[in-house]
Amino acid sequence: MLRVDLHLHSNYSHDGRSSLQQLIDRARECRLDRIALTDHNTIDGALSLVRMEPELAIAGEEIKTREGEIIGLFMTSRVQPYLAPEEAMDLIHQMDGLTYIPHPLDRHRAHFRPERMVELAGRIDIIETYNPWCEAAANRAAAQLADELGKATATGSDSHSADELGRSWMEMEEYSGAGDFLEKLRFARHVVTASSGTGRRA
Protein backbone atom coordinates (compact mmCIF):
# COMPACT_ATOMS: atom_id res chain seq x y z
CA MET A 1 0.00 0.00 0.00
CA LEU A 2 1.14 3.52 -0.79
CA ARG A 3 1.14 6.38 1.70
CA VAL A 4 -0.03 9.48 -0.15
CA ASP A 5 -0.41 13.19 0.67
CA LEU A 6 -2.20 15.20 -2.02
CA HIS A 7 -2.04 18.76 -0.64
CA LEU A 8 1.15 20.48 0.48
CA HIS A 9 3.25 23.56 -0.15
CA SER A 10 6.91 24.50 -0.51
CA ASN A 11 8.73 27.82 -0.46
CA TYR A 12 7.56 28.29 -4.05
CA SER A 13 4.30 29.39 -2.36
CA HIS A 14 4.21 32.85 -0.82
CA ASP A 15 3.36 31.27 2.54
CA GLY A 16 5.42 28.07 2.26
CA ARG A 17 8.46 27.68 4.49
CA SER A 18 10.36 24.59 3.29
CA SER A 19 12.66 23.84 0.38
CA LEU A 20 12.06 20.97 -2.00
CA GLN A 21 14.93 19.00 -0.46
CA GLN A 22 13.50 19.51 3.02
CA LEU A 23 10.16 18.10 1.83
CA ILE A 24 11.89 15.13 0.21
CA ASP A 25 13.83 14.37 3.38
CA ARG A 26 10.74 14.69 5.57
CA ALA A 27 8.65 12.51 3.23
CA ARG A 28 11.27 9.76 3.50
CA GLU A 29 11.36 10.15 7.26
CA CYS A 30 7.56 9.76 7.42
CA ARG A 31 7.56 6.89 4.92
CA LEU A 32 5.35 8.79 2.49
CA ASP A 33 5.42 7.16 -0.95
CA ARG A 34 3.79 9.98 -2.95
CA ILE A 35 3.42 13.69 -2.29
CA ALA A 36 1.55 16.13 -4.52
CA LEU A 37 3.20 19.53 -4.40
CA THR A 38 0.37 22.05 -4.84
CA ASP A 39 1.87 25.50 -4.49
CA HIS A 40 -0.29 28.58 -4.86
CA ASN A 41 -0.67 29.69 -8.49
CA THR A 42 2.59 28.14 -9.65
CA ILE A 43 3.73 24.74 -10.86
CA ASP A 44 7.44 25.55 -11.00
CA GLY A 45 8.31 23.86 -7.72
CA ALA A 46 6.21 20.81 -8.51
CA LEU A 47 7.87 20.29 -11.89
CA SER A 48 11.28 20.65 -10.25
CA LEU A 49 10.28 18.11 -7.60
CA VAL A 50 9.20 15.65 -10.29
CA ARG A 51 12.60 16.01 -11.94
CA MET A 52 14.36 15.50 -8.59
CA GLU A 53 12.23 12.60 -7.33
CA PRO A 54 9.97 11.21 -10.08
CA GLU A 55 8.88 8.21 -8.00
CA LEU A 56 7.83 10.43 -5.08
CA ALA A 57 6.31 13.52 -6.67
CA ILE A 58 2.95 14.30 -8.25
CA ALA A 59 2.90 17.67 -10.00
CA GLY A 60 0.07 19.90 -8.83
CA GLU A 61 -1.01 23.49 -8.38
CA GLU A 62 -3.51 25.22 -6.08
CA ILE A 63 -5.22 27.72 -8.36
CA LYS A 64 -7.19 30.70 -7.12
CA THR A 65 -10.19 31.18 -9.40
CA ARG A 66 -12.70 34.03 -9.41
CA GLU A 67 -14.64 32.09 -6.77
CA GLY A 68 -12.87 29.35 -4.83
CA GLU A 69 -9.59 27.48 -5.04
CA ILE A 70 -9.01 24.39 -7.16
CA ILE A 71 -6.11 21.97 -7.04
CA GLY A 72 -4.96 20.32 -10.23
CA LEU A 73 -3.12 16.99 -9.91
CA PHE A 74 -0.98 15.18 -12.50
CA MET A 75 -0.43 18.47 -14.28
CA THR A 76 2.13 19.26 -16.98
CA SER A 77 1.80 23.06 -17.16
CA ARG A 78 0.54 26.00 -15.12
CA VAL A 79 -3.06 27.16 -15.04
CA GLN A 80 -3.15 30.90 -14.44
CA PRO A 81 -5.17 32.28 -11.52
CA TYR A 82 -8.41 34.26 -11.57
CA LEU A 83 -10.10 32.32 -14.34
CA ALA A 84 -13.70 31.19 -14.10
CA PRO A 85 -13.78 27.86 -12.22
CA GLU A 86 -15.15 26.05 -15.26
CA GLU A 87 -12.28 27.29 -17.42
CA ALA A 88 -9.62 26.30 -14.89
CA MET A 89 -11.12 22.83 -14.47
CA ASP A 90 -11.36 22.31 -18.22
CA LEU A 91 -7.69 23.27 -18.65
CA ILE A 92 -6.71 20.73 -15.98
CA HIS A 93 -8.69 18.01 -17.70
CA GLN A 94 -7.25 18.94 -21.10
CA MET A 95 -3.81 17.95 -19.77
CA ASP A 96 -5.29 14.68 -18.42
CA GLY A 97 -5.08 15.97 -14.86
CA LEU A 98 -7.54 15.61 -12.00
CA THR A 99 -9.52 18.35 -10.29
CA TYR A 100 -9.42 18.40 -6.50
CA ILE A 101 -11.44 20.83 -4.37
CA PRO A 102 -9.54 21.77 -1.17
CA HIS A 103 -11.22 22.97 2.03
CA PRO A 104 -14.47 23.37 0.05
CA LEU A 105 -16.79 24.68 2.75
CA ASP A 106 -14.35 26.38 5.12
CA ARG A 107 -15.38 29.96 5.87
CA HIS A 108 -11.78 31.07 6.56
CA ARG A 109 -10.47 30.25 3.06
CA ALA A 110 -11.42 30.83 -0.55
CA HIS A 111 -14.13 28.28 -1.11
CA PHE A 112 -17.16 27.41 -3.21
CA ARG A 113 -20.70 27.69 -1.96
CA PRO A 114 -22.46 24.29 -1.73
CA GLU A 115 -24.81 25.16 -4.58
CA ARG A 116 -21.82 26.02 -6.82
CA MET A 117 -20.24 22.68 -5.94
CA VAL A 118 -23.40 21.01 -7.19
CA GLU A 119 -23.27 23.07 -10.41
CA LEU A 120 -19.61 22.18 -10.92
CA ALA A 121 -20.02 18.51 -9.97
CA GLY A 122 -19.53 17.24 -13.51
CA ARG A 123 -16.06 18.82 -13.56
CA ILE A 124 -14.98 17.76 -10.03
CA ASP A 125 -12.97 14.58 -9.54
CA ILE A 126 -11.99 14.73 -5.86
CA ILE A 127 -13.29 16.57 -2.80
CA GLU A 128 -11.08 17.13 0.25
CA THR A 129 -13.04 15.91 3.25
CA TYR A 130 -10.32 16.32 5.86
CA ASN A 131 -8.08 19.36 6.06
CA PRO A 132 -6.37 19.71 9.46
CA TRP A 133 -6.67 23.49 9.47
CA CYS A 134 -10.44 23.52 8.86
CA GLU A 135 -13.13 23.55 11.48
CA ALA A 136 -14.50 20.08 12.18
CA ALA A 137 -17.97 21.15 11.02
CA ALA A 138 -16.58 22.22 7.63
CA ASN A 139 -14.85 18.87 7.17
CA ARG A 140 -18.04 17.01 8.10
CA ALA A 141 -20.07 19.10 5.66
CA ALA A 142 -17.54 18.44 2.90
CA ALA A 143 -17.73 14.69 3.55
CA GLN A 144 -21.52 14.78 3.36
CA LEU A 145 -21.45 16.76 0.12
CA ALA A 146 -18.89 14.40 -1.43
CA ASP A 147 -21.11 11.46 -0.55
CA GLU A 148 -24.18 13.13 -2.05
CA LEU A 149 -22.27 13.92 -5.25
CA GLY A 150 -20.62 10.50 -5.42
CA LYS A 151 -17.10 11.93 -5.54
CA ALA A 152 -13.78 10.42 -4.50
CA THR A 153 -12.56 11.90 -1.24
CA ALA A 154 -9.15 12.92 0.06
CA THR A 155 -7.36 13.76 3.28
CA GLY A 156 -4.73 16.42 2.67
CA SER A 157 -2.19 17.73 5.17
CA ASP A 158 -2.15 21.22 3.61
CA SER A 159 1.40 21.37 4.98
CA HIS A 160 3.20 24.68 4.65
CA SER A 161 6.41 23.43 6.24
CA ALA A 162 8.18 20.09 6.26
CA ASP A 163 7.44 19.39 9.92
CA GLU A 164 3.71 19.38 9.17
CA LEU A 165 4.12 16.42 6.81
CA GLY A 166 3.32 12.95 8.11
CA ARG A 167 0.47 13.94 10.41
CA SER A 168 -2.26 12.81 8.02
CA TRP A 169 -2.18 10.79 4.83
CA MET A 170 -4.03 8.23 2.74
CA GLU A 171 -3.17 4.58 2.15
CA MET A 172 -4.05 3.25 -1.28
CA GLU A 173 -3.05 0.66 -3.84
CA GLU A 174 -0.39 1.26 -6.46
CA TYR A 175 -1.78 2.88 -9.63
CA SER A 176 -0.89 3.50 -13.25
CA GLY A 177 -1.81 6.97 -14.48
CA ALA A 178 -4.27 9.56 -13.32
CA GLY A 179 -7.42 7.68 -14.25
CA ASP A 180 -6.40 4.57 -12.35
CA PHE A 181 -5.30 6.77 -9.43
CA LEU A 182 -8.79 8.24 -9.20
CA GLU A 183 -10.40 4.79 -9.10
CA LYS A 184 -7.98 3.49 -6.46
CA LEU A 185 -8.48 6.65 -4.40
CA ARG A 186 -12.14 5.72 -3.91
CA PHE A 187 -10.99 2.81 -1.74
CA ALA A 188 -8.20 4.62 0.12
CA ARG A 189 -7.89 4.54 3.89
CA HIS A 190 -7.76 7.99 5.47
CA VAL A 191 -5.28 8.26 8.36
CA VAL A 192 -5.30 11.19 10.82
CA THR A 193 -2.92 11.27 13.79
CA ALA A 194 -3.34 13.10 17.09
CA SER A 195 -0.80 15.75 16.03
CA SER A 196 -2.73 16.68 12.89
CA GLY A 197 -3.80 20.32 12.91
CA THR A 198 -1.56 21.37 15.79
CA GLY A 199 1.07 24.09 15.82
CA ARG A 200 -0.25 26.55 13.25
CA ARG A 201 -3.11 28.99 13.11
CA ALA A 202 -5.17 28.85 9.91
Side-chain angles (χ1 to χ4, degrees):
M1 299 292 280
L2 301 176
R3 285 187 172 198
V4 180
D5 189 337
L6 291 181
H7 184 183
L8 59 125
H9 301 270
S10 74
N11 56 12
Y12 280 76
S13 285
H14 67 278
D15 54 357
R17 299 188 294 278
S18 296
S19 69
L20 300 184
Q21 189 59 55
Q22 286 173 318
L23 292 175
I24 291 168
D25 294 344
R26 178 62 177 165
R28 288 174 175 155
E29 182 182 337
C30 299
R31 295 185 296 118
L32 290 169
D33 300 293
R34 302 285 188 280
I35 57 173
L37 187 57
T38 57
D39 284 313
H40 295 288
N41 303 319
T42 179
I43 197 173
D44 292 348
L47 294 179
S48 293
L49 188 63
V50 169
R51 288 191 292 269
M52 293 168 69
E53 292 289 338
E55 294 300 312
L56 173 68
I58 297 170
E61 178 188 1
E62 186 167 1
I63 305 146
K64 190 172 185 63
T65 73
R66 293 175 192 163
E67 297 175 52
E69 290 180 312
I70 298 166
I71 286 176
L73 299 173
F74 297 95
M75 295 176 65
T76 55
S77 61
R78 179 181 185 248
V79 172
Q80 68 185 63
Y82 307 113
L83 299 173
E86 291 88 346
E87 186 177 0
M89 290 175 168
D90 289 348
L91 288 169
I92 293 166
H93 286 143
Q94 285 170 20
M95 62 182 88
D96 296 322
L98 300 175
T99 56
Y100 173 120
I101 306 300
H103 41 73
L105 303 176
D106 184 68
R107 60 194 176 96
H108 298 296
R109 295 166 182 79
H111 66 279
F112 294 99
R113 294 172 287 109
E115 54 269 30
R116 275 298 275 150
M117 294 277 288
V118 172
E119 293 171 359
L120 294 167
R123 290 177 165 91
I124 296 171
D125 298 311
I126 304 162
I127 294 177
E128 186 174 77
T129 55
Y130 176 78
N131 181 302
W133 315 110
C134 288
E135 296 172 345
N139 284 330
R140 287 194 299 270
Q144 181 177 346
L145 183 60
D147 183 62
E148 291 171 356
L149 296 177
K151 298 300 176 181
T153 62
T155 282
S157 70
D158 198 1
S159 298
H160 283 64
S161 64
D163 62 358
E164 293 172 359
L165 271 180
R167 298 178 179 182
S168 57
W169 64 87
M170 289 171 298
E171 295 178 354
M172 61 185 291
E173 294 181 15
E174 182 63 85
Y175 59 91
S176 57
D180 189 44
F181 178 92
L182 181 60
E183 290 309 308
K184 300 286 177 55
L185 184 64
R186 293 183 180 277
F187 303 99
R189 177 173 175 252
H190 297 232
V191 180
V192 177
T193 69
S195 61
S196 182
T198 61
R200 170 162 65 96
R201 289 291 180 187

